[in-house]
Amino acid sequence: MEITYKQRIIAAAIFCAIASTTVNAQTADLLPSWNEGKAKQSITDFVGKVTKASSPDFVPPSERIATFDNDGTLWAEQPMYFQLLFALDRVKALAPQHPEWKSKEPFASLLRGDVKGALAGGEPAIGQIVMITHAGMTTEEFEKIVKDWIATAKHPTTKRPYTEMVYQPMLELLAYLRANGFKTFIVSGGGIEFMRAWTEKVYGFPPEQVIGSSGKTKFEMRDGKPVLVKLPEINFIDDKNGKPVGIQQHIGRRPIAAFGNSDGDLQMLQWTAAGSGPRFCLYLHHTDAEREWAYDRTSHIGKLDKGLDEASAKGWTVVDMKKDWKVVFPFEQK
Amino acid sequence: MEITYKQRIIAAAIFCAIASTTVNAQTADLLPSWNEGKAKQSITDFVGKVTKASSPDFVPPSERIATFDNDGTLWAEQPMYFQLLFALDRVKALAPQHPEWKSKEPFASLLRGDVKGALAGGEPAIGQIVMITHAGMTTEEFEKIVKDWIATAKHPTTKRPYTEMVYQPMLELLAYLRANGFKTFIVSGGGIEFMRAWTEKVYGFPPEQVIGSSGKTKFEMRDGKPVLVKLPEINFIDDKNGKPVGIQQHIGRRPIAAFGNSDGDLQMLQWTAAGSGPRFCLYLHHTDAEREWAYDRTSHIGKLDKGLDEASAKGWTVVDMKKDWKVVFPFEQK
């Protein structure tokens, strides 16, 4: 995966060196995993018109902001959010230091292997699991924990590293947009520090271009050395109404393009679409039960219901993952 | 001022095109307003060693993060923070819609021209003035208000536009660092949305590279159009202990260089200095009562006391503005 991504970056760099910013980027196919059709065409049409200096829709590079949801948009999110699987693995790893968990929910169920039972406690149970696994250490300690996990953990059904469960057509789309002068950001409901530990290596997003949910942190001196301690207290939830708020807080400029896959992304797409000038909104529709998963209006994870209606009403691009993508994951290519 | 900055950018771009990243940037003097001496030397030594590929202190460009305080570091802050002067001007502009202010403090004193009396109420009074002038409108409306103000308002003693009261040597330093592959950020106690309205034009910081204090915002639909409404509620104070927190939240990577002028910047400098590898910390010392202002340990604004002691103990660079700078403001050049 990593090599594939680097190859794309090199291809994009070479392309950049050849193409001036006034040349329409459609001439080279930087989106080889996308089948020809309406979805791909809508992307290249948009990029073409905003990058062509003579176009009435030209947008200067500094304003070419594109935002991407992460779970279900850049990598998979089934059978549950990967960050929750990280938290469950952490509970198991921390259990020897917490003998009391054997008789305390949601930990007791979890340690017996009954994930469903553990999560039956709903948001309070999930909140407890997240806080115990994401707070009480320094930011540097947490980063190391995530890096170690992401390097070794395997997805429960595919048995692949999580970083291989990213969408090849979306990696191409990121490289294509960057080659056309776009500045790309992740805007995810996932944890900002959880993502930043690996998004640069896997997708090419430096930490300052990753926006997510966060806990509060506290600056303090430990043995004369300054540290930031992660507190068990929510700072910001970057989901639904929170996404435009997070975008404004971190970027301070409205995106001209936004990419999501669920109702949690709807406000980000609405906020993007409501700007003046050319705008592009895209929903991934998970339609491929064979290569990935098929789910939408009634799914507990990544529910896409209102968003699908609004996309249809507003003429936003909806990607049918089964029809529009030649491959889903990089490992399908040999 | 703007032309001067653009000239620097062009110079930097030309320099970039000539120099490869492995060439030490000291060969060209991009810091003409800095007198030769220890301060200037410490800057060029640091930049030289972190950009030279063969140096044991080489730092890859993605990690060349430099953070700058704003008030008193990039522009002046006397006789009071310019954002407070903005707020006072706004109170006057809003007064006709608030007849009740004639008998309500701190507004009554303010409208009589008695700024000192108005501010005698301390933080609660200042808080009231800030909330009434910074909340209750959309983010877009606020941006327009700031842009209009900054384009027309004049400094109370110099009668210059505020954007001319920026430090010429610091503009050069920003261009020099950017030409050497640094990504520069503002990390200020000032309001994030107040600064973003003009920092790109004046200093070359795009909004996503500006970190500051903020109020909460709320996403809502108004006549079918999404807006972000500024609420009269503090979200984050980016000062003192808050600066490393803000850096981690927005950048997610520790700076290798940090620049400030007051005790409010001390934790940012400590956080920067405590990273592994080469680090650079610099304090501006306001020593020039003639060309600017002279103040430090006992000043109510921009107090530099603990910071001065720590800089001395740790060997950080302290710029004596009177001795180290050939000019302070761009308008001193003809």
Side-chain angles (χ1 to χ4, degrees), chain A residues 62-132:
Chain A
S62 64
E63 294 172 22
R64 290 181 205 158
I65 304 288
T67 54
F68 291 81
D69 171 55
N70 183 42
D71 297 308
T73 299
L74 296 177
W75 73 354
E77 60 182 351
Q78 298 288 357
M80 64 182 89
Y81 298 122
F82 295 175
Q83 190 176 357
L84 190 52
L85 292 164
F86 159 77
L88 301 184
D89 283 352
R90 286 301 297 160
V91 167
K92 285 175 211 161
L94 291 167
Q97 300 160 44
H98 293 273
E100 76 279 10
W101 284 355
K102 278 181 192 137
S103 56
K104 191 183 167 193
E105 291 298 344
F107 307 103
S109 295
L110 204 58
L111 295 173
R112 283 195 311 269
D114 179 11
V115 174
K116 216 169 169 180
L119 302 184
E123 281 191 19
I126 294 172
Q128 262 192 290
I129 293 167
V130 169
M131 287 307 174
I132 208 85

Side-chain angles (χ1 to χ4, degrees), chain B residues 8 31-35 40 168-169 172 324-327 333:
Chain B
R8 304 253 162 252
L31 303 171
S33 300
W34 291 72
N35 284 314
K40 180 175 182 173
Q168 174 63 26
E172 294 169 8
D324 288 321
W325 286 0
K326 283 189 192 130
V327 294
Q333 306 169 299

Side-chain angles (χ1 to χ4, degrees), chain A residues 171-190:
Chain A
L171 296 180
E172 294 169 9
L173 179 56
L174 289 171
Y176 171 65
L177 290 173
R178 291 169 189 157
N180 279 284
F182 280 77
K183 195 162 183 178
T184 57
F185 290 81
I186 287 179
V187 178
S188 168

Side-chain angles (χ1 to χ4, degrees), chain A residues 62 65 139-140 143 183 185 192-193 196 200 206-210 212 214-219 221 225-228 235-236 240-242 244-245 247-254 267-268 270-271 274 310, chain B residues 62 65 139-140 143 183 185 192-193 196 200 206-210 212 214-219 221 225-228 235-236 240-242 244-245 247-254 267-268 270-271 274 310:
Chain A
S62 64
I65 304 288
T139 51
E140 288 190 321
E143 185 184 350
K183 195 162 183 178
F185 290 81
I192 194 166
E193 305 219 318
R196 282 170 168 173
E200 186 160 34
E208 65 270 23
Q209 286 165 231
V210 177
S214 57
K216 286 196 190 296
T217 60
K218 186 175 166 247
F219 177 87
M221 286 288 178
K225 203 181 166 249
V227 293
L228 288 169
N235 176 57
F236 181 65
K240 298 190 175 72
N241 283 353
V245 172
I247 287 168
Q248 181 66 15
Q249 180 72 20
H250 283 259
I251 310 176
R253 177 127 65 185
R254 200 190 294 245
Q267 290 81 356
M268 172 169 78
Q270 289 171 331
W271 177 243
E310 187 143 343
Chain B
S62 63
I65 304 289
T139 50
E140 287 189 322
E143 185 184 350
K183 194 162 184 178
F185 290 81
I192 194 166
E193 305 220 318
R196 282 170 169 174
E200 185 159 34
E208 65 268 24
Q209 285 164 233
V210 177
S214 57
K216 288 195 189 295
T217 60
K218 186 175 167 248
F219 177 87
M221 286 287 176
K225 201 180 167 249
V227 293
L228 287 169
N235 176 56
F236 182 65
K240 298 189 174 74
N241 282 354
V245 172
I247 288 169
Q248 180 67 16
Q249 181 72 21
H250 284 258
I251 311 177
R253 178 127 63 186
R254 199 190 294 245
Q267 290 82 355
M268 173 168 79
Q270 290 171 331
W271 177 243
E310 188 144 342

